[in-house]
Amino acid sequence: GITPQNSLFLEGDAANMQVFTAAGQSHTYWFAVTADREFRATLAWFDPPAAVSAAETILNDLDLKVVDPNGVELFPNGLTEPDRVNVNEHITVSLSNVVPGLYAVHVTANTIRLDQPFALVVSGSFVATTAAPTGSPTTPTTTLGPSSSPTSLPTTQGPTTFPTDTPTTLPTPQGPSPSPTLSPTTTKPSAEPTPAPSPEPTEMPSRTPTL
C-alpha cells in the first residue's frame, strides 16, 4: 500500500529507494490489469547539473517502457523510441486500448555518471504481481499469500500401542544367605561410689586442778 514512508522522501533519505549505480541496470514491475480503467506509468528523477557549455545537458538518462499482454512495446511522451532528453517520462494506455492481462513496466539506466535514484508512479485497475513465468507472458502470477485451506494430517491406522515398561527381576543368589554377625555389646559396670572414711573422735586431755 501507499504510505508516507514509501512515497515521500527527504533529501539524503535513501530508505526504500531504488538507486541506479551503473548503466545497463534495470527494474521490472508486473501488474495484472483489468479493462475498467486506463493504465498509466510515470517516471521522474532529479538529474545532476551539467556544465554550462556541455553538449548534452542530461547526465543520467533513464528509460521507461511498458509492454502489454500482447507483447506490444509502448514508449513515453508519445514517442516510438526511448526518450533521451526529458527527466519526466509518461505512458498512458487509454481505456479503449487497455487489454486485460499482465503488463510489464521496465525502468532501465541508459547512462549513469552519478548514482541515480528515481520515482515511479503507476495508476489504474490492477494487482501487483510477481514476474510472469517463462513462455506465459499473458498469465498473471499474482501472489495472494499462503492458502487458507487446512492441511490434512495423515490418518493413523488404529490406536498406537506403546510398549509397557516391565519391572526387571533380580536373580536369586545361590545358597543360603549369610546371617549378619552381631558384634557383642560390652556393658561397662556402673562405678559404685567409695564411702569416705568417718573421722575418729579425738580424746581431749582432762585438766587436774592444782591445790
Side-chain angles (χ1 to χ4, degrees), residues 127-130 141-146:
V127 176
T129 72
T130 57
T141 56
T142 305
T143 302
L144 299 179

Side-chain angles (χ1 to χ4, degrees), residues 3 9 28 34 41 43 50 60 83 88 99 118 129 136 144 153 155 190-191 211:
T3 64
F9 302 100
T28 301
T34 59
L43 172 67
N60 292 340
D83 189 331
N88 293 279
V99 178
F118 64 91
T129 72
S136 303
L144 299 179
L153 298 176
T155 304
S190 301
L211 297 178

Side-chain angles (χ1 to χ4, degrees), residues 59-83:
L59 298 182
N60 292 340
D61 180 29
L62 308 184
D63 292 331
L64 174 66
K65 182 175 67 175
V66 173
V67 180
D68 71 8
N70 295 327
V72 177
E73 295 183 344
L74 305 173
F75 293 94
N77 303 334
L79 302 176
T80 57
E81 60 184 11
D83 189 331

